[in-house]
């Protein structure tokens, strides 16, 4: 009975810490123009995360080019996504290193870290495939419940065929069903 309460308490603390990290990230990115003026966006993009493959290095280079070319919405979205993910991983790593945490809590934290890493790779892959199909830019957010895609529409406008192409890419790469995918045009 006491270990069940401890486990619940640990999960509660982890949940509160995740919520706090997300809120702090959201509050810091409320005015992205300040990041660009301070030059912090460029530094964050170049050192935000450890690259795991060549395609992610290319994605980071494309993000850097996007910031400097003036089309910064997508770069800012990627930056915010990576900051939130880095905060969540930091919190989970803290619980992994906690000597008081039981094995189940440590296993759950390790599993969540692994899932976050997998989601990051999947997002980069889907973004690259969307660009390979001729779309100027896109940012993808993968979660257990849904996949959200924000895409820069073609000059002719975003058509039903475009939605079908993007949906097919997302479904094949993530395994998500069509009703779990939301595609939004960036304005």
């Amino acid at each position: 009975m006491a270990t069940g309460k401890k486990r619940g308490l640990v999960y509660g603390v982890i949940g509160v810490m995740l919520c706090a990290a997300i809120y702090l990230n959201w509050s810091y990115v409320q005015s992205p123009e300040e990041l660009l003026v301070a030059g912090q966006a460029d530094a964050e993009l170049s050192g935000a995360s450890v690259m795991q493959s060549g395609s992610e290095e290319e994605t980071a280079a494309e993000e850097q080019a996007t910031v400097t070319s003036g089309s910064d919405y997508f770069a800012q979205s990627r930056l915010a996504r990576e900051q939130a993910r880095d905060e969540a991983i930091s919190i989970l790593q803290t619980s992994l290193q906690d000597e008081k945490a039981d094995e189940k809590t440590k296993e759950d934290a390790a599993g969540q870290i692994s899932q976050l890493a997998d989601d990051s790779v999947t997002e980069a892959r889907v973004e690259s495939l969307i660009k390979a199909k001729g779309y100027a830019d896109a940012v993808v957010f993968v979660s257990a419940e849904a996949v959200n895609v924000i895409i820069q529409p073609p000059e002719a406008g975003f058509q039903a065929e475009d939605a079908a192409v993007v949906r097919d890419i997302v479904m094949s790469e993530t395994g998500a069903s069509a009703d779990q995918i939301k595609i939004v045009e960036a304005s």
Side-chain angles (χ1 to χ4, degrees), residues 70-112:
S71 175
D72 55 76
Y73 172 78
F74 294 98
Q76 291 171 3
S77 295
R78 287 184 189 98
L79 176 61
R81 177 183 68 196
E82 289 304 314
Q83 286 176 335
R85 187 166 284 138
D86 289 346
E87 287 290 327
I89 288 172
S90 175
I91 291 167
L92 291 167
Q93 285 176 338
T94 300
S95 65
L96 272 176
Q97 296 169 353
D98 186 6
E99 294 175 9
K100 297 176 185 175
D102 62 1
E103 286 304 311
K104 174 71 173 143
T105 301
K106 290 181 179 183
E107 287 176 18
D108 289 345
Q112 290 177 16

Side-chain angles (χ1 to χ4, degrees), residues 130-146:
I130 290 171
K131 289 178 189 177
K133 286 291 187 178
Y135 298 97
D137 209 350
V139 64
V140 178
F141 299 93
V142 175
S143 70
E145 301 83 32

Side-chain angles (χ1 to χ4, degrees), residues 122-139:
T122 300
E123 289 164 348
R125 189 173 56 243
V126 171
E127 290 168 3
S128 294
L129 290 170
I130 290 171
K131 289 178 189 177
K133 286 291 187 178
Y135 298 97
D137 209 350
V139 64

